[in-house]
């Protein structure tokens, strides 16, 4: 990139931006605040081509001393009560060494640490006196093996106490072979640890923190930016499906007031429901950094009634086309719902569901068993998801569950939770709406978060199952605990949730993740049983093209398919359940009938 002239031009423009925005802070409170300032100034002073061409040197030329200080000390910090040697373990595949390491006085040693994936970590060390230790960002790239930190005493035999750790949510382990270092990949433990580091404090992290200062190759464009016109219209439930309907949509930030206008289709009641509005940011989305997300709840509806609605803003005078929804019936009756596994915002998935909706227009709702998008923190991925699913989302309430891509690299499902309004009475140990349940007619549906801790959801899950009198009970979560490639990895799900499914007899469990179709035989206590009345059937679903694989030869598998995107229908009529797996053309690839006495 041209340097001197560019830097002068940027400096003048940056000064103008800072003047217009008011005085710059003398110190940034966090890395996030510093990065917001950096990116805001970049948008104001750099062209799209320059943003795309950024490299480590160009970013360092651009940032101010105040931003540099925050990025060098406020990514990871803690207090120690005695002098210590801090070791920064940097994965050697990273192209550029984080700028602050050498500047802060860290020295590269000959020590090497490895993990079970055979990643090589070089060790940089520095001595700190008692007090605050501040460490910097992982880098301006998005190198997912985030660096690790070991802390040991400067004087042999001294005891080190660490306090005021930030981020506080990650554990401190013992530096030794077998130690867990990444919370989002707990199996990826340390393997080779030099003797001089063993027994020290190991500060754990998540790989996703590599995104905290991601600039190089990080700027994106969405093909579906927001505007004053409402879009991304979606039905969910956050309360009783018989008498309420929750509706969400998106606008640009110029629209701050939203409404739903609704009426009974066959005449009768009508009304207006105001929306709540939240401002959402994806700072790396160059053409749509900020949006408004609207949520409206309609209460007091009649069970089993068809309604017509439109969303929009009276101030902007921009309204959607009318669409329809149907409330749940007051009494149990025949009901059909749709299911798929991973969607990953693919256009082909949208076409599959358009075909499913046309073939089953009377369906009550649509379950998605996780991995709705590729990268849960990218609004551009969600924009594609909502665009390709726009026809079904405005007609059928969606029942989502969280997949690992929706909470990628341990960063959590924050964007997902902002986008979906769901029942909020889930486990107290999780954020509201991470896990939830509802009843529709004579069925119970439970959505669990398998990307969070498993056992902490047990008490809530058991309470939901225990109090339900529904004839048919279903659960959905992303990771399959009955799949030949993954069963051992997810044994905790079988041990915890599977035991409760056995105790209270859950009929079907809907899962995804492995990108193939699989239906188990009835299983109880980890063993195959003959009658569905005695066990739970586990179904792995995939809604997008997937590679051909030989059917696994495992005794608990009833049906296994690959290479074919499928959706599933579940139809309940009293004591009879009819299940089918179909392709976009409507051909049935698997079917099951369960009848209860």
């Amino acid at each position: 990139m041209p340097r001197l002239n560019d830097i002068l031009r940027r400096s003048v423009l940056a000064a103008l931006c800072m003047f217009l925005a008011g005085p710059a802070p003398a110190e940034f409170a966090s890395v996030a605040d510093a990065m917001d300032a950096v990116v805001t100034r970049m948008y104001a002073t750099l062209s799209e081509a320059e943003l795309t061409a950024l490299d480590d040197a160009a970013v360092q030329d651009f940032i101010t001393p105040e931003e540099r200080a925050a990025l060098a000390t406020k990514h990871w910090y803690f207090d120690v009560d005695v002098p210590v040697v801090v070791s920064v373990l940097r994965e050697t595949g990273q192209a550029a060494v984080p700028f602050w390491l050498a500047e802060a006085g860290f020295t590269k040693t000959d020590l090497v640490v490895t993990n079970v994936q055979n990643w090589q970590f070089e060790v940089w060390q520095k001595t700190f006196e008692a007090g605050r230790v501040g460490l910097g960002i992982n880098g301006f790239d998005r190198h997912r093996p985030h660096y690790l930190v070991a802390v040991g005493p400067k004087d042999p035999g001294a005891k080190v106490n660490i306090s005021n750790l930030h981020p506080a949510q990650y554990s401190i382990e013992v530096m030794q072979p077998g130690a867990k270092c990444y919370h989002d990949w707990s199996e990826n433990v340390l393997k080779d640890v030099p003797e001089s580091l063993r027994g020290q404090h190991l500060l754990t992290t998540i790989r996703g923190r590599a995104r905290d200062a991601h600039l190089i190759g990080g700027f994106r464009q969405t093909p579906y930016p927001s505007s004053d016109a409402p879009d991304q219209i979606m039905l969910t439930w956050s309360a009783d499906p018989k008498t309420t309907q929750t509706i969400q949509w998106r606008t640009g930030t110029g629209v701050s007031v939203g409404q739903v206008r609704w009426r009974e289709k066959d005449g009768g009641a009508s009304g207006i429901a105001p929306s709540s509005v939240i401002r959402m940011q994806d700072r790396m989305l160059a053409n749509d950094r900020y949006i408004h997300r609207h949520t409206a709840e309609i209460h007091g509806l009649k069970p089993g009634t068809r309604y017509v609605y439109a969303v929009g803003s009276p101030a902007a005078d921009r309204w959607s086309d009318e669409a329809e929804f149907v409330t749940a019936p007051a009494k149990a009756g025949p009901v059909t719902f749709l299911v798929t596994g991973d969607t990953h915002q693919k256009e082909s998935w949208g076409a599959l569901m358009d075909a499913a909706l046309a073939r089953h227009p009377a369906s009550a709702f649509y379950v998605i068993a996780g991995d709705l998008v590729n990268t849960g923190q990218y609004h551009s991925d969600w924009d594609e998801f909502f665009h390709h699913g726009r026809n079904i989302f405005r007609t059928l309430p969606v029942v989502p569950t969280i997949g690992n891509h929706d909470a990628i690299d341990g960063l959590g499902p924050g964007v997902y939770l902002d986008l979906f309004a769901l029942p909020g009475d889930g486990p107290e140990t999780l954020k509201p709406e991470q896990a939830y349940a509802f009843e529709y007619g004579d069925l119970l549906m439970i959505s669990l978060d398998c990307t969070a801790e498993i056992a902490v959801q047990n008490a809530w899950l058991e309470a939901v199952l225990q109090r339900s009198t529904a004839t048919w009970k279903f659960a959905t979560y992303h990771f399959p605990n009955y799949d030949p490639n993954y069963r051992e990895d997810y044994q905790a799900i079988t041990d915890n949730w599977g035991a409760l499914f056995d105790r209270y007899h859950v009929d079907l469990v809907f899962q995804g993740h492995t990108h193939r179709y699989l239906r188990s035989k009835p299983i109880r206590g980890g063993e195959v049983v003959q009658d569905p009345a005695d066990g739970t059937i586990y179904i792995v679903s995939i809604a997008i093209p997937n590679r051909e694989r030989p059917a696994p030869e495992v005794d608990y598998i009833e049906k296994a398919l690959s290479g074919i995107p499928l959706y599933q229908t579940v139809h309940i009529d009293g004591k009879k359940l009819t299940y089918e797996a179909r392709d976009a053309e409507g051909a049935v690839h698997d079917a099951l009938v369960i009848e209860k006495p």
Side-chain angles (χ1 to χ4, degrees):
M1 295 175 65
R3 283 292 165 83
L4 184 58
N5 289 339
D6 277 358
I7 292 171
L8 290 173
R9 176 176 61 82
R10 293 170 187 160
S11 299
V12 171
L13 290 172
L16 178 60
C17 290
M18 294 169 71
F19 172 77
L20 293 174
E27 181 178 339
F28 288 95
S30 66
V31 165
D33 289 343
M35 289 303 300
D36 278 346
V38 170
V39 171
T40 297
R41 206 168 66 257
M42 283 183 166
Y43 284 139
T45 60
L46 301 183
S47 67
E48 182 179 340
E50 289 173 315
L51 291 173
T52 303
L54 284 172
D55 58 17
D56 196 74
V59 173
Q60 291 196 54
D61 283 345
F62 189 87
I63 59 177
T64 67
E66 294 82 8
E67 292 158 351
R68 193 180 191 90
L71 299 176
T73 60
K74 294 188 175 179
H75 181 67
W76 214 339
Y77 53 84
F78 50 92
D79 294 333
V80 293
D81 60 345
V82 296
V84 295
V85 175
V86 174
S87 299
V88 170
L89 283 56
R90 188 188 80 92
E91 203 274 324
T92 56
Q94 187 176 24
V97 176
F99 73 88
W100 55 272
L101 265 176
E103 290 181 3
F106 280 84
T107 301
K108 183 181 175 182
T109 71
D110 294 330
L111 299 175
V112 175
V113 175
T114 68
N115 64 10
V116 294
Q117 294 294 317
N118 291 319
W119 297 350
Q120 304 285 316
F121 294 87
E122 61 188 25
V123 180
W124 294 63
Q125 291 185 330
K126 179 185 175 180
T127 299
F128 287 82
E129 297 302 316
R132 174 58 52 93
V133 175
L135 305 176
I137 60 171
N138 195 65
F140 295 114
D141 53 4
R142 198 203 73 185
H143 190 67
R144 287 174 76 199
H146 193 285
Y147 72 82
L148 305 172
V149 178
V151 182
K154 176 185 175 183
D155 301 320
K159 182 180 179 181
V160 178
N161 292 302
I162 295 176
S163 59
N164 301 319
L165 176 64
H166 171 86
Q169 65 266 40
Y170 306 125
S171 62
I172 301 177
E173 304 290 333
V174 177
M175 189 72 180
Q176 61 188 0
K180 175 180 72 175
C181 45
Y182 293 112
H183 287 261
D184 58 304
W185 195 354
S186 58
E187 299 86 7
N188 190 4
V189 298
L190 296 183
K191 183 173 68 173
D192 300 312
V193 178
E195 191 64 36
S196 62
L197 299 179
R198 295 191 182 194
Q200 295 188 3
H201 296 295
L202 171 64
L203 307 189
T204 64
T205 189
I206 57 172
R207 291 173 299 157
R209 295 198 70 209
R211 300 174 188 268
D212 284 5
H214 182 204
L215 291 171
I216 299 168
F219 288 93
R220 289 170 281 108
Q221 300 268 345
T222 176
Y224 308 108
S226 64
S227 69
D228 286 351
D231 65 358
Q232 299 188 357
I233 301 165
M234 177 177 62
L235 303 176
T236 61
W237 287 306
S238 49
D240 188 348
K242 296 190 296 294
T243 58
T244 72
Q245 183 64 67
T246 302
I247 305 173
Q248 293 133 94
W249 67 96
R250 176 189 72 161
T251 66
T253 54
V255 180
S256 298
V257 177
Q259 292 180 346
V260 176
R261 295 175 176 172
W262 59 270
R263 58 182 169 83
E264 290 182 42
K265 184 172 183 178
D266 295 331
S270 64
I272 294 175
S275 70
S276 61
V277 183
I278 61 171
R279 179 183 173 95
M280 297 179 64
Q281 177 189 193
D282 180 346
R283 70 176 171 229
M284 302 305 291
L285 195 56
N287 64 333
D288 207 24
R289 181 176 178 179
Y290 299 101
I291 64 166
H292 276 170
R293 188 75 180 170
H294 299 253
T295 301
E297 296 183 7
I298 309 173
H299 293 266
L301 301 176
K302 296 179 182 177
T305 303
R306 182 170 293 276
Y307 289 86
V308 178
Y309 75 96
V311 304
S313 169
D317 197 25
R318 301 291 296 272
W319 295 88
S320 70
D321 294 336
E322 289 189 332
E324 300 180 8
F325 65 83
V326 181
T327 51
K331 296 182 179 179
V335 60
T336 299
F337 63 90
L338 306 177
V339 180
T340 68
D342 304 38
T343 62
H344 288 278
Q345 89 246 14
K346 299 294 186 183
E347 185 174 7
S348 61
W349 151 73
L352 176 71
M353 297 319 297
D354 285 347
L357 183 62
R359 196 169 291 114
H360 312 280
S363 298
F365 54 87
Y366 170 34
V367 177
I368 308 178
D371 278 5
L372 285 64
V373 295
N374 286 332
T375 303
Q377 284 70 43
Y378 287 0
H379 288 191
S380 48
D381 282 15
W382 288 106
D383 292 347
E384 293 181 21
F385 171 78
F386 286 117
H387 180 78
H388 299 320
R390 62 194 181 280
N391 295 326
I392 197 166
F393 290 154
R394 67 202 302 265
T395 302
L396 298 187
V398 63
V399 178
T401 195
I402 298 168
N404 55 297
H405 279 263
D406 308 318
I408 199 163
D409 290 348
L411 289 169
V415 175
Y416 167 102
L417 294 175
D418 283 342
L419 292 173
F420 293 92
L422 302 165
D425 57 350
E428 293 182 359
T429 50
L430 302 183
K431 293 180 180 178
E433 305 176 32
Q434 273 187 258
Y436 60 94
F438 65 89
E439 292 196 349
Y440 186 106
D442 201 20
L443 71 84
L444 169 69
M445 179 64 68
I446 304 170
S447 176
L448 295 159
D449 183 3
C450 64
T451 71
E453 290 187 57
I454 302 301
V456 300
Q457 300 174 62
N458 289 356
W460 172 82
L461 173 60
E462 181 163 21
V464 169
L465 290 167
Q466 194 171 47
R467 68 173 175 258
S468 177
T469 59
T471 300
W472 299 96
K473 297 182 177 68
F474 307 102
T476 180
Y477 49 86
H478 185 59
F479 293 149
N481 49 316
Y482 285 100
D483 184 295
N485 293 341
Y486 289 87
R487 188 177 181 185
E488 290 185 4
D489 289 349
Y490 304 126
Q491 188 64 42
I493 296 176
T494 302
D495 293 343
N496 289 272
W497 300 344
L500 293 172
F501 298 160
D502 292 344
R503 186 178 307 165
Y504 297 98
H505 188 62
V506 170
D507 297 282
L508 302 179
V509 173
F510 306 108
Q511 307 161 305
H513 190 58
T514 58
H515 287 225
R516 68 161 152 219
Y517 176 84
L518 186 151
R519 175 168 62 89
S520 80
K521 297 173 183 177
I523 296 174
R524 181 180 179 86
E527 301 295 332
V528 173
V529 294
Q530 295 304 309
D531 194 328
D534 298 325
T536 299
I537 294 172
Y538 294 82
I539 295 164
V540 180
S541 177
I542 179 63
I544 59 176
N546 50 98
R547 64 185 176 89
E548 295 277 0
R549 286 180 283 183
E553 296 181 4
V554 181
D555 63 353
Y556 61 77
I557 294 178
E558 185 66 48
K559 186 80 170 184
L561 299 167
S562 60
I564 310 168
L566 299 171
Y567 71 89
Q568 289 73 58
T569 60
V570 178
H571 178 72
I572 295 170
D573 190 354
K575 300 287 188 176
K576 181 178 180 180
L577 180 150
T578 304
Y579 166 91
E580 294 178 332
R582 295 175 179 261
D583 62 24
E585 285 68 45
V588 177
H589 292 261
D590 188 25
L592 168 71
V593 174
I594 302 174
E595 295 196 59
K596 296 191 176 186

